[in-house]
Amino acid sequence: MVIEVKNLCKSFNSVEVLKNLNLQVEEGEVISIIGGSGCGKSVFLRCLELLEIPDAGNIFIDGQEITAQNADVDFIRRSLGMVYQKFNLFSHLNVLENLILAPTKILKIPKLDAEKKADDWLKKVGLISKKFSYPAELSGGQQQRIAICRSLMMNPKIILFDEPTSALDPTMVGEVLAVMRMLSKENLTMLIVTHEMNFAKEISDRILFFAEKGIYEEGTPQEIFENPKKPLTIEFINKLKFFHYEIFDKNFDLPEMQGGIWNFSEKYGFNNKKSTNIQLCCEEAIFEFFDGCYSEGDAIKIFVDIVYSESKKQTEIKICSGGKKYNLLEVEDTMDHLGVKILKKIAKEIKYFYEDDLNKIVIKI
């Protein structure tokens, strides 16, 4: 195993956050850590690196006890990569300089070798064209992809992700998750604190649900998301439900998307009218964006997200599109834009935003 935690305890003053937490992680395992705010998820990751000092317990990283009194903490930490909520890139260094700084200074890798390795990772995450850009010139999603590359430059056996998409605009979440999906196939051990439930379900070998000062329930994604056993897990899983669909071609599989929406709607008890209205909103908005945002031959990028709050009984549709700026809510009221009339008629509320080179609409049903 590459991580072993025994009886980990951590308090802040009189507030006990973690109590007698035990965990074993096998090499290559991908584990997502979920739970409510303040349940100790991020504190746990920080304890693994000794960024927070445990009050009691033992932590072994790749067979070495990082909590031992005489441990070479800096050396043991080299097995760990950490990706934070905030990107923490050096603002005065360009992308390439950010990536090669630690390998050349700490690992003593020759500069040319480090630059070649940086190029390789930048190509994998689709940012080779940004190698001489500065952080302020990048979007949040691009900065987080660079932060992931920076961790990988140190050849870690384990990568810890502390809510890596929480500081991002929703439109940028997908690009970071895509990189993490790619890494999950590289036989890296990954521990991911996340609120992206669909992503956790898709990518993980194991899910840890944190509550009551530690790991309250654990299991496969199917066990936790489809058949949780314990009361707090059931309550948490039932709060928010998600449907996600990605489109990269005008000839996308519309029946597949609509079928997925209908299954989602049936699963959570929507009546036929509501289910049909959600399908109509998604379809009309997508084709309106096709016509307004893209010219012939343009690369298509549209993301559809449906979020249902079971506790509030509210449904929200979020659709994001690349291409040129196009506020579909301001088009002329003609038969050529019948889809917009349908959207406005169905929606209780509809808003348009243009941020980070993406068109976004949020529709409340």
Side-chain angles (χ1 to χ4, degrees):
M1 69 192 70
V2 291
I3 298 176
E4 185 174 14
V5 180
K6 297 179 178 179
N7 299 315
L8 178 66
C9 299
K10 178 62 183 177
S11 299
F12 294 94
N13 297 321
S14 60
V15 180
E16 194 173 41
V17 179
L18 300 173
K19 183 178 180 180
N20 295 328
L21 186 151
N22 293 279
L23 178 67
Q24 294 182 344
V25 180
E26 299 296 331
E27 184 172 359
E29 195 172 10
V30 177
I31 295 176
S32 288
I33 302 171
I34 63 173
S37 298
C39 67
K41 305 183 300 294
S42 294
V43 171
F44 171 64
L45 287 195
R46 291 175 64 82
C47 283
L48 293 182
E49 278 207 304
L50 290 197
L51 298 176
E52 298 289 354
I53 306 301
D55 300 322
N58 309 93
I59 299 172
F60 297 84
I61 305 296
D62 201 21
Q64 301 181 78
E65 186 182 356
I66 196 170
T67 47
Q69 189 171 3
N70 60 348
D72 187 342
V73 173
D74 289 337
F75 180 79
I76 297 173
R77 278 178 178 158
R78 293 183 188 180
S79 296
L80 297 166
M82 185 81 168
V83 179
Y84 303 90
Q85 298 175 31
K86 297 294 185 180
F87 326 121
N88 298 328
L89 299 177
F90 293 111
S91 60
H92 65 290
L93 301 179
N94 66 31
V95 166
L96 180 63
E97 291 166 339
N98 265 281
L99 294 185
I100 69 172
L101 181 63
T104 54
K105 297 294 185 182
I106 297 174
L107 300 183
K108 306 301 181 184
I109 294 175
K111 184 178 179 182
L112 288 177
D113 292 344
E115 289 178 350
K116 182 181 182 304
K117 185 174 183 179
D119 283 354
D120 290 341
W121 278 117
L122 289 172
K123 288 174 184 175
K124 286 184 178 181
V125 303
L127 290 175
I128 189 64
S129 64
K130 302 292 185 181
K131 67 184 289 186
F132 297 118
S133 299
Y134 285 82
E137 300 171 321
L138 305 176
S139 71
Q142 290 170 335
Q143 289 188 61
Q144 191 62 295
R145 281 187 277 166
I146 298 301
I148 293 172
C149 288
R150 181 179 56 185
S151 291
L152 294 165
M153 290 290 293
M154 297 295 287
N155 301 320
K157 292 189 68 172
I158 304 156
I159 303 185
L160 312 176
F161 293 89
D162 186 10
E163 297 189 39
T165 61
S166 65
L168 299 178
D169 183 282
T171 60
M172 292 181 269
V173 169
E175 63 192 72
V176 174
L177 297 185
V179 170
M180 294 171 67
R181 285 188 187 96
M182 176 193 73
L183 294 180
S184 70
K185 301 172 184 176
E186 300 276 343
N187 200 38
L188 285 166
T189 306
M190 299 167 62
L191 271 67
I192 308 163
V193 171
T194 183
H195 291 293
E196 303 289 340
M197 297 298 115
N198 273 349
F199 173 74
K201 184 176 181 180
E202 170 193 345
I203 198 175
S204 306
D205 299 306
R206 188 164 28 138
I207 305 290
L208 309 180
F209 175 67
F210 269 46
E212 295 189 342
K213 305 174 186 177
I215 301 171
Y216 179 79
E217 185 171 355
E218 65 178 290
T220 65
Q222 184 175 3
E223 288 169 340
I224 296 299
F225 288 108
E226 302 297 334
N227 191 31
K229 302 295 185 186
K230 303 180 75 173
L232 293 181
T233 318
I234 294 169
E235 180 183 349
F236 178 83
I237 294 301
N238 286 338
K239 281 184 179 177
L240 289 178
K241 305 300 179 182
F242 303 86
F243 174 84
H244 179 76
Y245 196 84
E246 299 179 358
I247 299 168
F248 300 102
D249 193 312
K250 285 188 176 181
N251 296 315
F252 75 105
D253 193 340
L254 177 61
E256 179 188 66
M257 183 193 77
Q258 297 292 44
I261 292 172
W262 193 266
N263 289 338
F264 176 84
S265 299
E266 282 192 328
K267 183 174 182 179
Y268 300 114
F270 299 173
N271 60 39
N272 287 350
K273 182 180 179 181
K274 182 174 181 178
S275 302
T276 301
N277 283 344
I278 293 172
Q279 288 181 319
L280 277 172
C281 285
C282 292
E283 181 175 345
E284 298 301 341
I286 288 165
F287 282 97
E288 197 62 38
F289 277 141
F290 279 165
D291 292 338
C293 298
Y294 302 97
S295 300
E296 188 67 27
D298 286 351
I300 304 294
K301 180 173 68 173
I302 295 179
F303 301 126
V304 178
D305 289 283
I306 302 169
V307 182
Y308 172 57
S309 172
E310 195 168 57
S311 58
K312 297 179 181 178
K313 305 300 180 185
Q314 292 179 349
T315 305
E316 192 173 80
I317 303 168
K318 300 178 182 179
I319 301 178
C320 305
S321 175
K324 68 181 180 182
K325 184 178 180 181
Y326 177 66
N327 186 348
L328 53 76
L329 301 183
E330 294 181 349
V331 300
E332 294 181 8
D333 190 7
T334 67
M335 290 302 294
D336 290 336
H337 300 289
L338 183 59
V340 176
K341 295 182 69 173
I342 292 172
L343 284 174
K344 291 179 177 178
K345 184 176 180 179
I346 292 174
K348 292 180 180 178
E349 180 181 341
I350 181 169
K351 295 181 180 180
Y352 168 87
F353 308 91
Y354 186 76
E355 297 174 345
D356 300 302
D357 299 322
L358 287 169
N359 299 277
K360 299 182 291 182
I361 59 168
V362 178
I363 305 163
K364 292 186 178 179
I365 300 294

